[in-house]
Amino acid sequence: MSRFRLQDLNPEQLRAARHDSGPLLILAGAGTGKTRTIVARISCLVSEGVPPSRILAVTFTNKAAREMKERIAGMVDSEQAREITASTFHALCVRILRADADRIGYKNNFSIFDEGDQTGLIKKVIARVTAQDEKVDPGLAKAMISKAKNNAWSPPPEDQSVLGAVYARYQRELKAMNAMDFDDLLGQSVRLLTENPDVRSKWQARFSHMMVDEFQDTNRLQLDLVGLLASGSPPNVCVVGDDDQSIYGWRGAEMSNILEFESHFPNPEIIRLEQNYRSTMPILATANRLIKNNPRRRVKNLWSSVRSGDPVHVVSMPDDKTEAEFVVGEAGAIRNAHNLPWEHFAVIYRMNAQSRLLEENLRRMKIPYRLVGGKSFFDRREVKDVLATISCLVNPQDDNALLRIINTPPRGIGPSTVEVALEISARDNKSLFDTLTAPEFADHTTRKTAEAIRRFAEDVAATRIYLLTPQANASALVMRFLTDSGYFDDLKRSCKTPEESLNREAGVREILNALAAHQSRRAGDLQDFLDELSLNREREEDKKDQAAGLTLITLHAAKGLEFPHVFLIGAEDGLLPHERSKTEGTVDEERRLFYVGITRAMKSLTITHCRQRLKFGSASHCRPSPFLREIEGEEVVSESYEQIAARPASAEEADAAFANLLAMLKEEP
């Protein structure tokens, strides 16, 4: 017997929970209780006599599936809860394929390749199908194969392109091993159900009611799978989503699935959840004004019974350094004024690289923090590459740095050459660089490799001469070295998506900005710069086990989360919306990304933008994001950092500042 109380629902949630049969589209705005509504609907179905074993709820992540199961267990009897299927798309596909994979040429005990297995096989395939002088990046090949499979593209004829040959051979070898990768799970399930009506009928009979969460994030294959599994006439398909939070177009999500739901499942009931239980009305009014500028959307208007609240603050900053200092200082002031834990605060940004200045200030102020959805800035691959490059240019005798960059990007100096050089350097007690560049080392390698070593050594020596010149612009010199070596092209090739490529290039820019800032304080002292960063990284290692603290997070990773106090930084044209979105026609998705950021805030929201931002060591002029004009209204207060700094501190602010100072003094050893 269901233990759920219908009186706990608002009128729209109640309509959704009681919907009898046929297609149902629940448009659930941010913070409107969509999971609660899905679980309430499941509870109602069970109480009305639908066998629990015939109810299927599909979501995207294992975490979401677990949370849904826990919520269901709290609303229906434990035995009934166990019979309900709540799983991810991929877990559902494994169940379907385990039963009938033999119908499409696989054994039912097929293996599932994880990312490591997949990469390993792709590397072997590349070695087999490419000529000696052909270079194919395994990461690029893996991304291409994944995109092709999710778009249901068959491998092209092998003689058309190298990547096509890799795809075709990879798929043949995968099949020969009776294995599937994660993308196959979805594609082969759709194929199985499409080609075998009896199998399709079996699974349609298995589930009489189907629910899909986060429907705006589905791709074409996932939509096809839902259509193939839907049973009943009309089909009992309930999908829940919010087109205003569709922010994953770059990885294959098709917003048209939710916008054109009626064309796939005719005559649905459409219910809008607009009452927000997360944010104050000033925050919601700001979000509503922004998102209405997207022309292609399902109209929704978020509202809250909490009518009062602080206005949204938009603050113009002179530069990104001041921005980071201001945000950390403001968070500290709010925390001390209201005796709050650091977990109540989040700083949200468009690009991962924006965390660097924030991390520096948080470490300096000894404020605990955590990065969600990404590595610490200083642990990122491209940052380590650039630091190794600087280290090698400053000191070519640094073997670790040289080993990292000698074939990043590929320079024609292969692993076997490096292995021989390492053996000789250990035997002769010499550095790896001196070993490689010694005239006699040419006897151990080919003429082509010897020429590649000579060019690399000359590039390092030439750049070092300029770097060691007084008043040299180290940031610009390192940038030129990286560009001339082909590093950025190689970095781009190794990225799975344009988004990853942009983030990694931004990471390079940020570390060069840090170098330029350090030089402005201590001109020419590059070793000191490297030492300072090494110490910072050691401090970070001590913090890795700490899960508590202020949250640093990108806009993409913030979706689905909420925080009482939010700082959304870098609201500048070219950053948010990103410059690339203007040429690719994806400004609407950038607006949705901003909307997601705004709707993470529960009690207070501060948005900042800079008039100047450091790029490659030089101050670059910035324009405010055009989105800031779209959110203007009574609930939004715009001011400059200079105005705030000139304003006399209130008694409350003075008390908070004093309390902050006392806390810092107590923490000193």
Side-chain angles (χ1 to χ4, degrees):
M1 184 72 183
S2 170
R3 297 193 296 273
F4 186 73
R5 301 185 312 163
L6 293 180
Q7 59 262 40
D8 292 338
L9 302 177
N10 68 37
E12 289 74 26
Q13 291 173 331
L14 185 59
R15 272 182 62 209
R18 281 181 162 169
H19 173 80
D20 184 21
S21 62
L24 171 63
L25 170 59
I26 303 174
L27 295 167
T32 57
K34 70 178 178 67
T35 305
R36 180 190 201 192
T37 304
I38 295 172
V39 175
R41 176 161 172 72
I42 291 172
S43 178
C44 277
L45 289 172
V46 172
S47 67
E48 290 166 4
V50 175
S53 62
R54 300 196 68 200
I55 298 172
L56 169 65
V58 186
T59 188
F60 273 81
T61 65
N62 289 316
K63 180 185 176 188
R66 279 196 306 272
E67 287 175 357
M68 192 174 291
K69 286 177 183 175
E70 288 168 4
R71 297 277 285 271
I72 291 169
M75 292 188 180
V76 301
D77 290 343
S78 57
E79 283 187 22
Q80 294 173 323
R82 279 194 293 271
E83 291 181 36
I84 294 166
T85 300
S87 77
T88 64
F89 274 102
H90 287 103
L92 174 64
C93 288
V94 170
R95 290 182 63 179
I96 293 169
L97 291 164
R98 286 286 179 222
D100 293 293
D102 58 313
R103 302 288 291 273
I104 53 171
Y106 288 84
K107 296 177 184 176
N108 291 349
N109 65 344
F110 61 88
S111 301
I112 300 172
F113 270 34
D114 62 20
E115 288 209 11
D117 299 327
Q118 191 181 2
T119 301
L121 178 56
I122 287 173
K123 285 179 177 177
K124 289 177 185 174
V125 167
I126 288 171
R128 290 168 187 163
V129 305
T130 57
Q132 197 165 8
D133 58 343
E134 285 180 313
K135 297 287 183 184
V136 177
D137 182 84
L140 175 66
K142 185 164 168 285
M144 183 278 295
I145 292 169
S146 178
K147 183 177 181 180
K149 289 186 177 185
N150 280 289
N151 283 285
W153 299 338
S154 299
E158 293 192 34
D159 58 355
Q160 282 194 0
S161 69
V162 176
L163 281 174
V166 171
Y167 180 14
R169 180 72 173 265
Y170 166 77
Q171 200 58 26
R172 279 207 311 274
E173 299 211 7
L174 203 59
K175 178 77 182 297
M177 290 185 281
N178 190 40
M180 299 187 198
D181 59 28
F182 268 71
D183 295 313
D184 283 327
L185 296 176
L186 195 58
Q188 297 296 349
S189 293
V190 168
R191 179 188 163 203
L192 171 65
L193 296 172
T194 302
E195 295 178 359
N196 298 275
D198 58 325
V199 176
R200 182 167 70 248
S201 297
K202 178 179 70 173
W203 284 99
Q204 287 176 345
R206 171 80 170 77
F207 299 114
S208 62
H209 289 77
M210 185 176 187
M211 271 150 280
V212 184
D213 193 14
E214 303 286 7
F215 193 66
Q216 77 282 347
D217 294 337
T218 53
N219 61 26
R220 179 70 211 192
L221 278 177
Q222 287 159 336
L223 175 66
D224 289 345
L225 182 67
V226 172
L228 289 164
L229 290 173
S231 63
S233 183
N236 295 316
V237 175
C238 167
V239 304
V240 187
D242 181 9
D243 51 299
D244 289 335
Q245 296 185 75
S246 178
I247 58 173
Y248 296 116
W250 50 275
R251 71 180 188 198
E254 296 192 22
M255 192 174 69
S256 60
N257 290 354
I258 196 168
L259 292 178
E260 300 166 11
F261 183 72
E262 296 91 331
S263 66
H264 306 293
F265 301 96
N267 304 313
E269 181 172 2
I270 300 175
I271 298 173
R272 288 172 169 80
L273 304 185
E274 298 174 305
Q275 182 174 359
N276 179 284
Y277 296 94
R278 175 187 297 158
S279 309
T280 63
M281 202 58 220
I283 292 169
L284 297 178
T286 303
N288 288 333
R289 272 197 303 276
L290 172 75
I291 203 62
K292 73 178 183 181
N293 290 280
N294 269 3
R296 193 165 178 257
R297 62 182 289 262
R298 302 262 189 180
V299 176
K300 293 174 289 297
N301 195 56
L302 298 182
W303 62 276
S304 170
S305 59
V306 182
R307 311 301 298 181
S308 60
D310 294 338
V312 172
H313 287 271
V314 177
V315 185
S316 167
M317 294 288 166
D319 53 57
D320 47 352
K321 182 174 180 290
T322 308
E323 177 185 57
E325 292 171 351
F326 171 81
V327 165
V328 172
E330 279 292 292
I334 296 170
R335 172 183 178 264
N336 289 323
H338 302 284
N339 194 29
L340 301 172
W342 282 115
E343 290 72 32
H344 281 206
F345 297 85
V347 186
I348 307 179
Y349 37 81
R350 177 65 178 83
M351 308 291 284
N352 276 308
Q354 289 172 262
S355 73
R356 196 261 305 175
L357 288 170
L358 293 163
E359 289 186 71
E360 286 185 357
N361 279 279
L362 290 164
R363 285 197 302 270
R364 192 180 72 248
M365 299 292 288
K366 298 183 179 177
I367 294 172
Y369 70 92
R370 56 184 184 144
L371 281 113
V372 178
K375 294 179 179 178
S376 169
F377 177 80
F378 300 102
D379 285 335
R380 293 170 62 190
R381 185 190 87 196
E382 71 277 10
V383 172
K384 289 186 173 183
D385 288 344
V386 176
L387 290 176
T389 299
I390 296 170
S391 183
C392 193
L393 290 170
V394 170
N395 175 22
Q397 312 302 312
D398 185 336
D399 284 0
N400 286 333
L402 181 59
L403 283 168
R404 186 171 186 96
I405 73 164
I406 196 163
N407 218 28
T408 303
R411 308 176 194 273
I413 309 170
S416 57
T417 301
V418 174
E419 192 174 337
V420 170
L422 281 169
E423 289 175 5
I424 295 172
S425 68
R427 183 194 69 200
D428 297 345
N429 196 26
K430 292 168 63 177
S431 74
L432 181 60
F433 187 85
D434 286 346
T435 301
L436 282 166
T437 55
E440 59 270 19
F441 187 73
D443 297 336
H444 298 276
T445 188
T446 65
R447 184 180 299 175
K448 188 176 178 181
T449 302
E451 177 61 20
I453 293 170
R454 185 190 64 76
R455 284 197 306 271
F456 172 65
E458 286 181 355
D459 291 343
V460 170
T463 306
R464 283 197 78 221
I465 290 170
Y466 287 115
L467 272 177
L468 299 175
T469 303
Q471 307 305 316
N473 185 337
S475 178
L477 288 168
V478 174
M479 180 66 179
R480 188 197 303 164
F481 182 87
L482 292 168
T483 304
D484 291 348
S485 72
Y487 176 77
F488 289 101
D489 293 332
D490 184 61
L491 189 67
K492 195 174 293 185
R493 282 193 297 271
S494 69
C495 294
K496 298 177 186 176
T497 64
E499 190 74 19
E500 182 187 357
S501 176
L502 282 169
N503 270 311
R504 293 205 180 280
E505 288 178 23
V508 175
R509 287 197 299 273
E510 273 303 305
I511 201 65
L512 293 179
N513 287 344
L515 173 58
H518 180 87
Q519 272 211 301
S520 69
R521 298 192 304 269
R522 305 178 66 166
D525 197 346
L526 298 184
Q527 189 59 57
D528 185 59
F529 169 74
L530 295 168
D531 292 344
E532 187 179 292
L533 291 187
S534 295
L535 290 171
N536 283 337
R537 288 203 299 280
E538 282 181 17
R539 293 186 196 113
E540 282 185 351
E541 289 299 317
D542 295 337
K543 291 184 177 183
K544 277 192 175 176
D545 293 333
Q546 297 181 9
L550 177 148
T551 298
L552 301 178
I553 192 168
T554 65
L555 284 160
H556 281 102
K559 184 171 173 287
L561 303 178
E562 59 184 32
F563 306 92
H565 303 282
V566 168
F567 295 85
L568 207 168
I569 69 170
E572 295 140 33
D573 194 12
L575 192 55
L576 184 64
H578 199 278
E579 197 65 42
R580 191 189 75 246
S581 67
K582 300 173 187 177
T583 57
E584 296 182 353
T586 55
V587 170
D588 286 359
E589 183 159 320
E590 294 286 300
R591 187 179 282 108
R592 292 193 292 271
L593 200 53
F594 193 27
Y595 174 84
V596 165
I598 290 171
T599 53
R600 299 312 94 198
M602 299 166 71
K603 294 183 178 179
S604 78
L605 172 64
T606 301
I607 301 170
T608 63
H609 63 95
C610 298
R611 299 189 291 275
Q612 283 189 341
R613 190 171 287 277
L614 203 62
K615 293 181 181 177
F616 302 121
S618 302
S620 179
H621 176 71
C622 303
R623 298 185 307 275
S625 169
F627 297 155
L628 295 179
R629 290 194 298 273
E630 298 174 3
I631 67 172
E632 289 175 354
E634 289 182 11
E635 301 88 354
V636 177
V637 174
S638 298
E639 53 191 336
S640 69
Y641 169 78
E642 289 80 4
Q643 288 172 316
I644 296 172
R647 196 161 56 219
S650 65
E652 185 183 47
E653 289 170 334
D655 289 344
F658 184 66
N660 193 29
L661 181 61
L662 282 178
M664 287 174 62
L665 289 172
K666 286 178 182 176
E667 290 175 3
E668 288 294 328

